[in-house]
Amino acid sequence: MTTILDLARISGLSKSTVSRVLNHHPHVSQESKEKVEKAIQQIGYKRNARGVHLRKKQNQLIGLLVPTVDHPYFSQLISALSEACRQSGYETVIYQSDFQPSEERYVYDKLAQQEMDALVVTHTLLSEQEIKELVGNRIVIICNEQAPGNLFDVFSVDEEQAIFDATTHLLKQGRTRLLLCMDYEQTPLQQKRLCGFKHALKDAGITYSPDMKRNGVMTIDDGLRLGDTLFQTEDYPDGLLTGSDFVAMGLLHSARKHSVNIPTDVSIMGFDNHSIGRASIPLLTTVDYPLQTIAKDVAKALALRVHQNEMPPRRKLYKATLVIRETT
Amino acid sequence: MTTILDLARISGLSKSTVSRVLNHHPHVSQESKEKVEKAIQQIGYKRNARGVHLRKKQNQLIGLLVPTVDHPYFSQLISALSEACRQSGYETVIYQSDFQPSEERYVYDKLAQQEMDALVVTHTLLSEQEIKELVGNRIVIICNEQAPGNLFDVFSVDEEQAIFDATTHLLKQGRTRLLLCMDYEQTPLQQKRLCGFKHALKDAGITYSPDMKRNGVMTIDDGLRLGDTLFQTEDYPDGLLTGSDFVAMGLLHSARKHSVNIPTDVSIMGFDNHSIGRASIPLLTTVDYPLQTIAKDVAKALALRVHQNEMPPRRKLYKATLVIRETT
DNA sequence: CTGTTAGCGCGTTCAG
DNA sequence: CTGAACGCGCTAACAG
């Protein structure tokens, strides 16, 4: 491998002048520039990023913590965030926690060890305090996960309102025996959703009971299984609220298999506004949120903090909207 | 930020002994270990990865080049590859080329500049020679993209055979007016598929004509649009081969909308064996391949080459299998 | 078992 | 406008 020292020798200039040319500094003579350019061509020089990273104490890398990439919600999020970061000059490294706190801690440790300039957290089982303790003064931004925002910037959808609206929509159609499908109940996000759900029920004068929620439902297959359990009984719910369009697709399929008519017998509400909802029969009612906008705001905040991290944490909520189609 | 020099001062040892403790070298006294451990606790030392990377000329980072992450095939691939790499001690940074050669070149340049230890290419518009020219002796592995394998390791599904089998399956059911849906025809992978398609047709005594293929079909919405075009005419094809289960879902939906019966009027073949195919009506016939196995083999090859890159390139083909359900 | 010494490749003062 | 010198934080000979 060749270095800027080789360039210096060949061009007859010093290391520093070569560096200046490489970094397009303003005050270098045209002559020097040309000499260096020629030397670069001559020996096929390639800059060594690792030297730069050490010297500049930056590596233009953003960590992205997700539970799993193989889920339409997270793959959309990764796509948007990754693109937005790249536009701000940062590449994205993916960390999958697989819902394990131990894996999460591992990632925070990587951040503390400066494997990346900042970390975007999209799902966590730890509290802000716990995270803070692990990462110290390094940069963390929380995206679409519920958190108080006392210690870190938080950009997220108002999940409570989203589920409130969705629930209210079902209630207005006369549905009363509702079921809320969640993935991991103990996460703050799911707690918020449960809150919105209870709130809407209360407003409608319906008393909430714990069997109106279901835990561990996240994939198409989960939806299929849940539907098969539900629809083989006689007193299945008449309104199903899911946390993902894919779960809704599973439920829809199962309903049809059991000759349960959608939406006559049961209403189904998706979540995420994935394109699959435009190819389902009947077309899927779902919840949409401004993912692109969120991603851009996160990338902006990231760039800002990398440069200057002494601001107090910010918090921004985004409004979700119902996309009413045929399953409700 | 504290450094190993601080640890050395506090523990009364030298930099090197501290480094040895940190890296769990065999020959260090219990006493030294304890001194260093104590110093670490005392000042809350965290290793600076960037120093290590420069010194070791490695950063335990694997690039993963995909056209887009927001596609079920690629998000599955990323998930599997990312997990397999992590098990080999490598993290994964995602590069989305968005089907732009310019973006691709940008990534190869990053590799040449040692932003990562190696690159896994899952889709490319450049030839092996062109890539080689850009990356020099740095490590590239091609995964599930067709390539001769003269210059790089190639691990991929036998796409030609896969489409040959799928086509033959349709032909055996008496389908004769077939249509092959592809994304970007000019990629080597699509060329291989087209090959398998033609081959099967020839074996059945059917002459291939260019209107038996369709370009630019990749998403659910593409499938919906294509179906709407197809099914509004009278002489639509009676066998549809797709490159993705999602495209198949779009076609399926459109068929139903136009009162075209599946599989009576038209057979539809998916690709990828995504779980969505288990929630479609009718259940989707599709093509399955051993993604986990491929990912593990890629990760192994990666680790091998990082350590010793002087082997000749290897090539391994994996067999795809038909999953026959109800749409054919 | 430990300390000394030398870089890894680069950007950036500070003089001139 | 340019060069000399320094150091980012760490590992790895080599000698003892």
Side-chain angles (χ1 to χ4, degrees):
Chain A
M1 286 294 107
T2 58
T3 74
I4 54 171
L5 216 75
D6 298 316
L7 292 182
R9 266 195 284 273
I10 293 177
S11 61
L13 294 164
S14 76
K15 241 174 49 148
S16 2
T17 303
V18 172
S19 171
R20 287 188 189 102
V21 174
L22 257 28
N23 292 289
H24 305 102
H25 276 215
H27 304 302
V28 272
S29 69
Q30 189 58 33
E31 198 190 335
S32 297
K33 274 186 204 168
E34 281 163 12
K35 276 184 188 166
V36 173
E37 301 291 359
K38 207 196 292 179
I40 291 175
Q41 300 303 328
Q42 194 175 327
I43 60 174
Y45 167 82
K46 286 287 175 188
R47 184 187 71 130
N48 182 324
R50 297 197 259 258
V52 181
H53 295 332
L54 174 59
R55 179 61 233 235
K56 307 233 285 202
K57 298 172 186 291
Q58 287 190 19
N59 55 9
Q60 305 299 110
L61 226 51
I62 301 291
L64 186 49
L65 177 59
V66 294
T68 168
V69 329
D70 191 22
H71 183 285
Y73 165 66
F74 289 106
S75 82
Q76 274 186 272
L77 196 59
I78 291 169
S79 181
L81 239 21
S82 176
E83 181 54 26
C85 287
R86 215 191 60 73
Q87 300 221 348
S88 302
Y90 291 87
E91 300 300 337
T92 310
V93 36
I94 302 289
Y95 293 93
Q96 300 189 70
S97 70
D98 198 27
F99 299 98
Q100 303 297 321
S102 58
E103 293 301 315
E104 249 190 78
R105 284 174 214 279
Y106 169 84
V107 177
Y108 296 128
D109 202 44
K110 290 267 190 189
L111 177 64
Q113 296 182 18
Q114 318 201 29
E115 298 265 357
M116 49 211 148
D117 292 344
L119 181 68
V120 176
V121 175
T122 69
H123 181 278
T124 179
L125 294 166
L126 306 185
S127 71
E128 277 190 328
Q129 279 72 19
E130 291 173 292
I131 299 174
K132 185 72 186 174
E133 228 158 273
L134 292 167
V135 304
N137 62 348
R138 312 237 53 230
I139 301 165
V140 169
I141 290 188
I142 297 177
C143 176
N144 250 13
E145 171 67 303
Q146 233 52 37
N150 300 325
L151 302 171
F152 304 117
D153 290 342
V154 177
F155 297 82
S156 60
V157 170
D158 188 342
E159 303 275 353
E160 186 171 346
Q161 178 244 327
I163 293 293
F164 177 88
D165 289 355
T167 309
T168 303
H169 170 70
L170 291 186
L171 290 168
K172 274 191 185 157
Q173 301 195 315
R175 305 306 185 180
T176 52
R177 289 169 294 113
L178 304 184
L179 181 70
L180 176 67
C181 308
M182 330 209 281
D183 45 31
Y184 284 75
E185 191 183 337
Q186 62 273 42
T187 68
L189 187 146
Q190 299 295 334
Q191 286 301 325
K192 279 285 171 196
R193 289 193 182 168
L194 189 55
C195 246
F197 182 61
K198 286 180 185 173
H199 190 170
L201 288 175
K202 197 175 169 189
D203 282 12
I206 297 178
T207 49
Y208 164 81
S209 85
D211 60 339
M212 295 174 86
K213 66 171 166 28
R214 201 66 150 241
N215 215 352
V217 193
M218 215 180 100
T219 64
I220 290 180
D221 289 324
D222 293 337
L224 284 168
R225 264 192 299 273
L226 175 59
D228 289 350
T229 313
L230 252 33
F231 298 131
Q232 74 181 7
T233 67
E234 282 306 312
D235 61 338
Y236 50 77
D238 61 3
L240 263 22
L241 288 146
T242 68
S244 128
D245 288 343
F246 275 46
V247 168
M249 290 299 290
L251 289 167
L252 210 56
H253 182 86
S254 176
R256 194 183 181 85
K257 205 167 61 186
H258 290 83
S259 306
V260 171
N261 191 281
I262 311 293
T264 320
D265 302 331
V266 181
S267 292
I268 297 184
M269 171 76 64
F271 207 98
D272 289 349
N273 194 15
H274 191 276
S275 53
I276 193 69
R278 291 193 288 276
S280 82
I281 299 162
L283 293 172
L284 190 63
T285 292
T286 189
V287 178
D288 183 61
Y289 41 73
L291 194 53
Q292 303 299 328
T293 310
I294 300 177
K296 273 179 202 155
D297 287 352
V298 168
K300 258 184 243 163
L302 233 26
L304 218 66
R305 287 221 174 264
V306 167
H307 196 249
Q308 158 68 346
N309 195 16
E310 301 310 313
M311 313 163 276
R314 285 192 208 172
R315 193 154 189 282
K316 188 163 175 191
L317 274 188
Y318 301 81
K319 208 163 169 298
T321 52
L322 251 45
V323 179
I324 295 168
R325 292 198 278 236
E326 302 170 355
T327 57
T328 57
Chain B
M1 287 293 107
T2 58
T3 74
I4 56 171
L5 218 74
D6 298 315
L7 292 182
R9 266 195 283 274
I10 293 177
S11 60
L13 294 164
S14 76
K15 247 175 42 154
S16 9
T17 304
V18 172
S19 171
R20 287 186 190 106
V21 173
L22 256 30
N23 292 289
H24 306 103
H25 277 213
H27 306 301
V28 270
S29 69
Q30 190 57 34
E31 198 190 333
S32 297
K33 274 185 204 169
E34 281 163 12
K35 277 185 189 164
V36 174
E37 301 289 1
K38 209 196 293 180
I40 291 175
Q41 300 303 327
Q42 196 175 325
I43 61 174
Y45 167 82
K46 286 287 175 187
R47 185 187 70 131
N48 182 323
R50 299 197 260 256
V52 180
H53 294 161
L54 174 58
R55 180 61 232 235
K56 308 232 285 203
K57 299 170 185 291
Q58 287 190 21
N59 56 8
Q60 305 300 109
L61 225 51
I62 300 292
L64 185 50
L65 177 59
V66 295
T68 169
V69 331
D70 191 21
H71 183 286
Y73 165 67
F74 289 106
S75 83
Q76 273 186 272
L77 196 59
I78 292 169
S79 180
L81 238 21
S82 177
E83 180 55 26
C85 286
R86 216 191 60 74
Q87 299 222 348
S88 302
Y90 292 87
E91 300 300 337
T92 311
V93 36
I94 303 289
Y95 294 92
Q96 300 189 71
S97 71
D98 199 28
F99 299 100
Q100 303 298 322
S102 58
E103 292 301 315
E104 249 190 79
R105 284 175 213 279
Y106 168 83
V107 177
Y108 297 127
D109 202 43
K110 289 266 189 189
L111 177 64
Q113 296 182 19
Q114 318 202 28
E115 298 265 357
M116 49 214 150
D117 292 343
L119 181 69
V120 176
V121 175
T122 68
H123 182 279
T124 179
L125 294 165
L126 306 186
S127 70
E128 277 190 328
Q129 278 73 18
E130 290 173 292
I131 299 174
K132 184 73 186 172
E133 228 158 272
L134 292 168
V135 303
N137 63 347
R138 311 236 56 228
I139 301 165
V140 169
I141 289 188
I142 296 177
C143 175
N144 250 12
E145 171 66 305
Q146 232 53 37
N150 300 327
L151 301 171
F152 305 116
D153 290 342
V154 178
F155 296 83
S156 60
V157 170
D158 188 341
E159 303 276 351
E160 185 169 348
Q161 177 244 326
I163 293 293
F164 177 87
D165 289 354
T167 308
T168 303
H169 170 70
L170 291 186
L171 291 168
K172 273 192 185 156
Q173 301 194 314
R175 305 306 184 180
T176 52
R177 289 169 296 114
L178 304 185
L179 181 69
L180 177 67
C181 309
M182 330 207 280
D183 44 30
Y184 285 75
E185 189 182 339
Q186 62 273 43
T187 68
L189 187 147
Q190 299 296 335
Q191 287 301 325
K192 278 286 171 190
R193 289 192 182 168
L194 190 54
C195 245
F197 182 63
K198 286 181 183 171
H199 190 169
L201 287 176
K202 196 175 170 190
D203 282 13
I206 298 177
T207 48
Y208 165 81
S209 85
D211 60 340
M212 295 174 87
K213 67 170 165 30
R214 200 65 150 242
N215 214 352
V217 193
M218 217 179 99
T219 64
I220 290 180
D221 289 323
D222 293 337
L224 284 168
R225 264 191 299 273
L226 175 58
D228 288 350
T229 314
L230 253 33
F231 299 131
Q232 75 182 8
T233 68
E234 282 306 310
D235 60 337
Y236 50 77
D238 61 3
L240 262 23
L241 288 146
T242 68
S244 129
D245 289 341
F246 275 46
V247 168
M249 290 300 290
L251 290 167
L252 210 55
H253 182 87
S254 176
R256 192 181 182 88
K257 204 167 61 185
H258 290 84
S259 306
V260 170
N261 190 282
I262 310 293
T264 318
D265 301 331
V266 181
S267 292
I268 297 184
M269 171 76 64
F271 207 98
D272 289 349
N273 193 16
H274 190 276
S275 53
I276 194 68
R278 292 192 289 277
S280 82
I281 299 164
L283 294 172
L284 190 63
T285 292
T286 187
V287 177
D288 182 62
Y289 41 72
L291 194 53
Q292 303 299 328
T293 311
I294 300 177
K296 273 180 201 157
D297 286 353
V298 168
K300 259 185 243 164
L302 233 25
L304 218 67
R305 287 223 174 262
V306 167
H307 195 248
Q308 158 69 344
N309 195 15
E310 300 310 314
M311 313 162 278
R314 286 191 208 172
R315 192 153 190 282
K316 188 163 174 190
L317 273 188
Y318 300 81
K319 207 164 169 297
T321 52
L322 250 45
V323 179
I324 296 167
R325 291 198 279 238
E326 302 170 356
T327 56
T328 58

